[in-house]
């Protein structure tokens, strides 16, 4: 029998969670983040779940979380499981509140987009499909999550998630019904999900440079064009085969060249760049001014772009990037590229220490609940105990346009 979830029944973990100053701080934090939830018991279970994520060592299974916080782990585990998988609360206000809270801990110097590959056994979990994992070199059954991160000091705070749903899931009514995929959910490519994350941030936060590694996305040009239409500053990794127009020529498709070809006749220069931890280093880059062809109608004025890549040993080029920062600010653009590595490190830390990979459910709402809870726990651990030092702001952006449970 599933433990009762109504507000008139006691929460078995209400007692004993707020005995120290840090516990009180955590309770204040979760009250802020989950204060919109309509029922008292939902807010209590949210606090209990985040507390358990922070306190439980090793794998964050529901049973282990319950063992950490409750003298009645069996009943508590059932209630925690129901809270994540079945309770009808909206995760979007949680992430919005988390964004506002994180912004109170220092200036946001960039928005970065990261990808989380979540391996799954079997094919029952929502959105699971065969996908190549670069870290292991294997093709795995996995879910693909795209996340938005605020760079605050040296921290990368996760404040938004989207679950990529392949055509095989979107077009199968049986799978959709079984995993409670909303009727409003239709197919979106990874770049479209990334753009949705940027739009959500733009509606809630002052604009910052957008940093993303899209080098494996064949439609990255659509992502870049959409960011340009919204007047965002961007630093985006692209394929060496990405087609551009060299120099300051008018945006026609007559002189399209690959990014690698354009860089081969570019300018070599040494720049001083800032590392994510505030340290500085000197590096050599190859850069070239380019413009983008328009493959779809656009009313946005054409913007100049800088193509660049770091020069490695033996003049070997590193990843290719494109940015709307002007040539005189290429050092800022190069500095921002390091944020993709930091974002990946954050996702790894969330997987190892905060239960990112330990979701015990299969539904669409449950997945988003889990990601919101893990993000909340990570944010408190990273920012809730201290204010990190603030490195210089890089790449100031141009002005942009800005469910209940």
């Amino acid at each position: 029998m599933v433990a009762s979830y109504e507000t008139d029944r006691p929460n078995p973990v209400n007692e004993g969670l707020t005995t120290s100053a840090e516990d009180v701080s955590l309770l204040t934090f979760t009250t802020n983040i989950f204060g919109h939830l309509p029922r008292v018991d939902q807010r209590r279970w949210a606090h209990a779940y985040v507390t358990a994520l922070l306190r439980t060592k090793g794998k964050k299974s529901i049973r282990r979380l319950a063992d950490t916080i409750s003298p009645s782990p069996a009943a508590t585990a059932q209630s925690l499981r129901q809270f994540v998988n079945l309770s009808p609360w909206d995760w979007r206000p949680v992430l919005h509140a988390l964004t506002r809270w994180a912004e109170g801990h220092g200036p946001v110097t960039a928005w970065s987009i990261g990808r989380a590959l979540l391996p799954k056994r079997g094919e029952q979990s929502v959105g699971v499909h065969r996908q190549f994992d670069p870290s292991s070199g294997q093709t795995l059954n996995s879910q693909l999550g795209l996340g938005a991160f605020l760079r605050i000091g040296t921290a990368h705070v996760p404040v938004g998630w989207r679950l990529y749903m392949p055509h095989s899931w979107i077009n199968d009514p049986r799978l959709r019904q079984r995993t409670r995929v909303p009727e409003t959910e239709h197919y979106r490519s990874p770049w479209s999900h990334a753009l949705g994350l940027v739009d959500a941030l733009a509606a809630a936060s002052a604009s910052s440079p957008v940093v993303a590694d899209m080098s494996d996305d064949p439609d990255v040009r659509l992502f870049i064009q959409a960011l340009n239409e919204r007047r965002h500053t961007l630093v985006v990794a692209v394929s060496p085969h990405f087609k551009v127009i060299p120099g300051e020529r008018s945006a026609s498709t007559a002189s399209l060249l690959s990014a690698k070809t354009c860089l081969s006749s570019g300018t070599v220069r040494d720049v001083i760049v800032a590392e994510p931890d505030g340290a500085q280093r000197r590096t050599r880059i190859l850069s070239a001014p380019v413009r983008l062809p328009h493959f779809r109608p656009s009313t946005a004025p054409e913007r100049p772009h800088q193509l660049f890549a770091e020069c490695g040993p033996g003049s070997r080029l590193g990843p290719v990037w494109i940015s709307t920062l002007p040539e005189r600010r290429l050092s800022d653009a190069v500095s921002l590229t390091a944020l993709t590595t930091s974002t990946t490190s954050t996702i790894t830390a969330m997987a190892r220490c905060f239960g990112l990979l330990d979701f015990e459910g299969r539904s669409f709402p449950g997945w988003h609940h889990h990601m919101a809870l893990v993000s909340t726990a990570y944010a408190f651990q990273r920012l809730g105990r201290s204010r990190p030092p603030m490195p210089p702001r890089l790449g100031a952006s141009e002005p942009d346009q800005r469910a209940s449970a």
Side-chain angles (χ1 to χ4, degrees), residues 159-397:
V159 294
W161 290 98
R162 299 289 190 274
L163 176 63
Y164 172 72
M165 300 283 288
H167 288 290
S168 59
W169 277 84
I170 290 296
N171 298 331
D172 190 325
R174 180 183 57 85
L175 291 177
R176 293 179 66 108
Q177 182 178 21
R178 191 185 71 204
T179 55
R180 295 161 54 208
V181 177
E183 293 183 1
T184 54
E185 189 70 15
H186 55 82
Y187 177 77
R188 295 178 176 88
S189 61
W191 78 263
S192 181
H193 278 299
L195 182 62
L197 290 166
V198 172
D199 286 343
L201 283 176
S205 180
S207 185
S208 293
V210 177
V211 184
D213 183 349
M214 307 292 285
S215 56
D216 63 348
D217 194 322
D219 294 321
V220 61
R221 59 184 174 80
L222 298 176
F223 179 64
I224 294 173
Q225 184 170 337
L227 293 180
N228 282 330
E229 290 169 351
R230 291 157 171 77
R231 307 302 293 173
H232 288 298
T233 295
L234 61 92
V235 181
V236 175
V238 296
S239 164
H241 306 292
F242 182 67
K243 297 299 183 181
V244 292
I245 300 168
E248 304 296 330
R249 304 177 190 177
S250 176
S252 69
T253 58
S255 304
L256 287 180
L257 298 176
S258 72
K260 183 177 180 180
T261 300
C262 284
L263 284 176
S264 66
S265 57
T267 301
V268 178
R269 70 189 75 195
D270 290 336
V271 296
I272 302 296
V273 300
E275 298 283 29
D277 61 2
Q280 292 188 329
R281 66 180 175 91
R282 179 183 296 272
T283 188
R284 177 160 294 184
I285 66 169
L286 192 59
S287 67
V290 296
R291 292 184 181 273
L292 299 184
H294 288 167
F295 291 98
R296 68 179 187 187
S298 175
T299 58
E302 189 174 1
R303 307 171 78 189
H305 295 71
Q306 294 293 324
L307 203 65
F308 66 92
E310 291 195 61
C311 301
S315 299
R316 183 175 57 190
L317 288 185
V320 177
W321 296 80
I322 192 167
S323 176
T324 52
L325 286 170
E327 182 179 9
R328 59 185 169 80
R329 298 191 61 188
L330 274 175
S331 60
D332 284 350
V334 178
S335 297
L336 286 167
T337 65
L339 301 189
T340 57
T341 300
S342 298
T343 298
T344 300
S345 297
T346 295
I347 293 172
T348 300
M350 293 172 70
R352 289 179 177 173
C353 305
F354 294 88
L356 186 74
L357 305 181
D358 298 334
F359 174 49
E360 296 181 12
R362 296 174 176 175
S363 73
F364 185 90
W367 186 89
H368 285 86
H369 290 164
H370 171 75
M371 300 301 278
L373 289 159
V374 171
S375 297
T376 300
Y378 179 85
F380 181 79
Q381 178 73 19
R382 195 68 177 83
L383 294 181
R385 295 185 171 96
S386 64
R387 292 178 178 268
M390 296 299 149
R393 181 177 177 85
L394 300 175
S397 181

